[in-house]
Amino acid sequence: MQREISKLVADGFYREALCLYAKQHSSSLGPNKFTFPYLLKSCGKLNAPTQGQILHTHLMKTGFGANIYASTALTDMYMKLHLLDYALKSFDEIPEPNLVLVNATLSGLSRNGHYREAFQMFRQVGLGKWRPDSVTLASLLVLCESLEAGLQVHCWAVKLGVETEVYVGTSLVTMYLGCAELVPARKMFEMISSRNVVSYNAYVSGLLQNGAARIVLDVFNNMKGCSPNSVTLIHVLSACSNLVYLQFGRQVHGLIKKTDMGFDTMVGTALVDMYSKCKQLKWAYDVFQELNGNRNLVIWNSMIAGMMSNDQSDNAIELFAQLESVGLKPDSATWNAMISGLMQLGKEFEAFMFFKKMQLAGIIPSLKSITSLLPVCSALSALRCGKEIHGHTIRTGIFKDEFICTAVVDMYMKCGLSSWGHRIFDLFEKKTNDPAIWNAMISGYGRNGDMESGFKVFDQMIEQRIKPNSATFNCILSMCSHTGQVEKGWQFLGMMSRDFGLKPTPGNINCIVDLLGRSGWLDEARELLQELPEPSASAIASLLNASKCHSDIKLGEQMAKMLSELEPENPTPLVILSNIYAGQGRWRDAEWVRKMMNDRGLMKLPGLSSIRVT
């Protein structure tokens, strides 16, 4: 019986192996000690806890409970079924556990996230009568939650002389990269005696997660002794996407074709993503078409997202409509690609309509969908929809997420309900050192004209030792600008570098220019603007509007000229200059500016308003 069962398990016929055992058991044909490990493995593969516990009973009744092989398989099965109490109890019942059993238990604790218990068990039994091997140390390295723990295991590897073995060495590389220690990871990678494709994949994956995309390409260029597989190609193409390195991505694509490596759906998806991010949508679509007959929902989602990122929303909507015709149903990722893509293109109403369609389709919005939708509600002042999304976050328990809470606060503030925003802010007790939620409050009060409350929130922020960032000071300086508090604005600008070590950004300088211009300090604003290496259009426009308000024709002419040179297709600076001349009774100059606009083919954009009918 043992031979037939072992063959069935080796071939992946787990259910058939259990059926054969049940049939033989009912015929009173008893198993031997080597039969149970195969049967217990089948239960773990099939996720069958009830059948596993029945086999455990049979194991004890037949007297094989103390057999080390059967006990190891039993412990491993319970670990795979996530029944940790049973697994540890089974382990404790073994009087003298061997290395294989300890490795299986450590690996199981690792898979179930019980890192502290695994280290504790290793210290109790792992440094006893037997010598740990590569599997033991590799299992421990997966458990390391800190660099200190990883260094301790590294020391054990050195003492045991297995540091440069490929299994341990690769695990050490992964551990160091997980702790963002790129230099030790590189040294460890170079020390591995016989690197294989798994070693390379672990290294480039960790580099990619640490933002070292350029190094990934260097490592790929220097691969020796082994050929890349699909996992390697996916990582390299992701690096090309991050760097927007089209030429290298094309070379990788050429390598795939030249070597007849072929590419599966995942590699095809990586190619589509790379070409889309490099603004080569035609090539992305060619790859998408090439995979015809082998396309899953992931690559459809990637193609839709690529079209959205390349301002091809009509094509993306058409592709979305084709999904059902090929037997695929849009998931939350598909809907999110549509909603967030339309939002980024400034098509808030269309994004909102897709959200309604998603609800009618019975799709529960994901965390990413909600964070994309709340700005839509803010942009359209769709308070009712915002409240519905807020209620959904409470019912599903994701409202405790700080990012969601910040988006809800921002939505209420932009819809004019600052009291509701403040209430949400007060209810969220677990505020981290991230100033985002504080920024939402400050900017919200500024937008609603309650500058005093905005300044109070900033004071509370400093009292609670939350370090502000440049965006925080943008909000504060903007409030100073709208209240005409010049001295206070200068104080805040000085506070940035003096108290928080922040270098003023162009956005911060723009706010100061706007503040000085609104308050009539036109000479000071012009001097500050001239000190900037590349003044932004918004800063010049602020000073142009200030020159109109304070009837400074000379400054208006200067700013209008600068802004026209920076944005030659924008009629606004010439319109404002014409209005400045008209305000001073210089009708000929105003007419001359209007004629200049006509000669350039520039037209004043008409004002418009939109309403929502419910």
Side-chain angles (χ1 to χ4, degrees):
M1 177 171 64
Q2 183 251 326
R3 183 178 297 174
E4 290 86 350
I5 288 176
S6 64
K7 189 176 187 308
L8 285 170
V9 173
D11 293 337
F13 296 106
Y14 306 115
R15 198 176 301 279
E16 289 77 1
L18 292 174
C19 290
L20 177 61
Y21 169 74
K23 183 178 179 181
Q24 298 287 2
H25 182 72
S26 62
S27 303
S28 300
L29 295 174
N32 59 36
K33 63 182 179 181
F34 297 109
T35 308
F36 284 104
Y38 296 106
L39 296 170
L40 293 167
K41 179 181 179 180
S42 299
C43 293
K45 291 288 186 180
L46 295 171
N47 192 24
T50 303
Q51 188 65 38
Q53 289 176 328
I54 293 172
L55 284 172
H56 188 177
T57 305
H58 290 179
L59 185 67
M60 302 306 293
K61 285 183 177 180
T62 53
F64 296 129
N67 179 266
I68 192 67
Y69 301 106
S71 298
T72 300
L74 181 66
T75 303
D76 185 59
M77 178 201 71
Y78 280 132
M79 285 292 185
K80 289 176 179 175
L81 295 173
H82 309 293
L83 299 173
L84 265 68
D85 291 337
Y86 288 103
L88 294 176
K89 185 178 179 182
S90 174
F91 177 84
D92 291 337
E93 289 174 353
I94 306 300
E96 294 185 2
N98 65 4
L99 183 57
V100 176
L101 177 57
V102 173
N103 288 346
T105 309
L106 287 173
S107 178
L109 288 169
S110 170
R111 287 196 303 270
N112 287 277
H114 292 265
Y115 307 128
R116 188 173 300 175
E117 292 85 347
F119 263 104
Q120 185 179 358
M121 189 199 79
F122 176 75
R123 290 190 178 97
Q124 288 176 353
V125 299
L127 298 175
K129 300 178 181 179
W130 43 263
R131 174 189 175 97
D133 64 1
S134 300
V135 178
T136 316
L137 296 181
S139 300
L140 286 173
L141 284 165
V142 177
L143 307 171
C144 295
E145 294 181 302
S146 65
L147 180 61
E148 182 181 358
L151 289 170
Q152 187 176 357
V153 180
H154 193 170
C155 289
W156 289 338
V158 173
K159 289 180 181 178
L160 294 169
V162 295
E163 178 190 19
T164 59
E165 288 185 11
V166 64
Y167 194 37
V168 175
T170 303
S171 299
L172 283 167
V173 168
T174 304
M175 180 274 296
Y176 279 123
L177 288 170
C179 297
E181 294 289 337
L182 271 65
V183 175
R186 178 183 60 79
K187 291 180 179 178
M188 190 63 245
F189 178 75
E190 292 173 351
M191 288 174 61
I192 297 175
S193 54
S194 53
R195 293 189 288 268
N196 57 20
V197 70
V198 177
S199 308
Y200 277 99
N201 289 345
Y203 188 39
V204 297
S205 173
L207 289 171
L208 206 56
Q209 290 170 8
N210 282 278
R214 178 69 63 178
I215 304 176
V216 170
L217 304 186
D218 294 337
V219 173
F220 178 70
N221 275 331
N222 295 318
M223 279 188 75
K224 296 177 181 178
C226 62
S227 300
N229 60 13
S230 60
V231 177
T232 321
L233 297 173
I234 290 168
H235 291 319
V236 173
L237 289 168
S238 297
C240 294
S241 299
N242 294 344
L243 296 168
V244 195
Y245 197 168
L246 177 61
Q247 183 180 358
F248 201 101
R250 289 284 287 170
Q251 289 174 353
V252 175
H253 192 180
L255 176 67
I256 295 170
K257 290 186 173 183
K258 184 178 179 181
T259 57
D260 293 328
M261 209 178 287
F263 54 86
D264 55 19
T265 307
M266 293 306 295
V267 175
T269 304
L271 280 167
V272 168
D273 182 64
M274 183 272 295
Y275 282 132
S276 298
K277 288 179 178 175
C278 292
K279 306 300 180 185
Q280 297 295 330
L281 196 60
K282 182 184 181 302
W283 289 344
Y285 192 70
D286 288 343
V287 174
F288 178 77
Q289 289 289 81
E290 191 176 342
L291 283 167
N292 189 23
N294 193 30
R295 297 193 296 240
N296 59 14
L297 189 57
V298 176
I299 195 167
W300 279 80
N301 291 347
S302 181
M303 192 68 248
I304 289 170
M307 288 178 171
M308 283 294 186
S309 64
N310 283 275
D311 198 10
Q312 297 287 328
S313 58
D314 291 341
N315 291 334
I317 292 170
E318 184 181 343
L319 202 64
F320 178 86
Q322 294 175 15
L323 277 171
E324 290 188 4
S325 65
V326 295
L328 294 173
K329 187 177 180 180
D331 62 0
S332 60
T334 319
W335 289 102
N336 181 68
M338 296 299 298
I339 293 167
S340 59
L342 290 167
M343 181 63 189
Q344 289 168 6
L345 293 173
K347 299 183 177 183
E348 291 88 357
F349 181 76
E350 290 86 345
F352 184 71
M353 294 307 296
F354 263 92
F355 170 63
K356 287 294 186 183
K357 289 179 181 178
M358 180 175 68
Q359 287 183 310
L360 291 173
I363 303 295
I364 298 174
S366 64
L367 183 68
K368 190 173 181 181
S369 296
I370 289 170
T371 53
S372 299
L373 285 165
L374 284 168
V376 175
C377 299
S378 305
L380 297 176
S381 295
L383 180 60
R384 181 177 177 181
C385 179
K387 287 180 179 179
E388 290 176 3
I389 296 172
H390 182 193
H392 172 78
T393 63
I394 294 172
R395 290 191 298 273
T396 54
I398 62 174
F399 183 66
K400 296 179 181 179
D401 181 87
E402 187 172 6
F403 194 63
I404 289 289
C405 187
T406 302
V408 172
V409 168
D410 184 63
M411 182 272 297
Y412 281 125
M413 285 293 188
K414 286 179 178 175
C415 289
L417 295 176
S418 54
S419 59
W420 289 32
H422 201 136
R423 184 180 178 188
I424 302 300
F425 176 79
D426 289 338
L427 287 172
F428 190 76
E429 298 177 354
K430 298 180 180 179
K431 299 182 183 71
T432 63
N433 292 328
D434 189 348
I437 193 168
W438 296 86
N439 294 349
M441 286 294 297
I442 296 168
S443 65
Y445 276 125
R447 186 179 291 106
N448 288 289
D450 190 354
M451 311 303 175
E452 184 178 349
S453 296
F455 287 126
K456 283 182 180 179
V457 172
F458 179 77
D459 292 337
Q460 292 174 13
M461 182 181 182
I462 302 304
E463 287 173 8
Q464 296 190 25
R465 300 183 182 278
I466 305 297
K467 184 180 177 181
N469 57 15
S470 298
T472 315
F473 282 101
N474 260 1
C475 302
I476 292 293
L477 292 171
S478 179
M479 289 195 299
C480 292
S481 175
H482 285 85
T483 53
Q485 301 184 60
V486 178
E487 294 297 334
K488 199 167 188 177
W490 281 118
Q491 289 175 9
F492 281 122
L493 190 67
M495 185 190 296
M496 287 185 67
S497 55
R498 184 182 65 250
D499 297 343
F500 302 104
L502 296 172
K503 183 180 179 181
T505 65
N508 302 141
I509 300 299
N510 290 350
C511 289
I512 288 292
V513 170
D514 186 57
L515 167 61
L516 295 172
R518 286 173 183 267
S519 304
W521 295 36
L522 301 183
D523 292 336
E524 290 79 358
R526 176 166 47 194
E527 289 175 5
L528 183 60
L529 192 70
Q530 289 172 347
E531 290 178 5
L532 297 176
E534 295 182 4
S536 67
S538 59
I540 299 171
S542 296
L543 202 48
L544 177 59
N545 282 311
S547 67
K548 176 187 174 184
C549 293
H550 297 282
S551 302
D552 190 327
I553 296 178
K554 185 177 179 181
L555 180 63
E557 291 173 338
Q558 184 182 355
M559 293 300 108
K561 181 181 178 183
M562 289 178 64
L563 191 55
S564 293
E565 290 175 353
L566 195 62
E567 298 179 342
E569 297 181 0
N570 183 6
T572 304
L574 296 178
V575 171
I576 294 174
L577 181 60
S578 175
N579 292 338
I580 292 174
Y581 285 140
Q584 296 295 312
R586 295 173 56 173
W587 300 108
R588 288 186 178 179
D589 291 330
E591 184 64 27
W592 173 76
V593 173
R594 293 287 180 174
K595 185 177 182 301
M596 185 192 302
M597 289 177 60
N598 292 333
D599 293 341
R600 294 183 183 180
L602 300 177
M603 294 181 62
K604 179 182 177 181
L605 299 175
L608 56 89
S609 301
S610 63
I611 61 171
R612 182 184 176 214
V613 180
T614 57

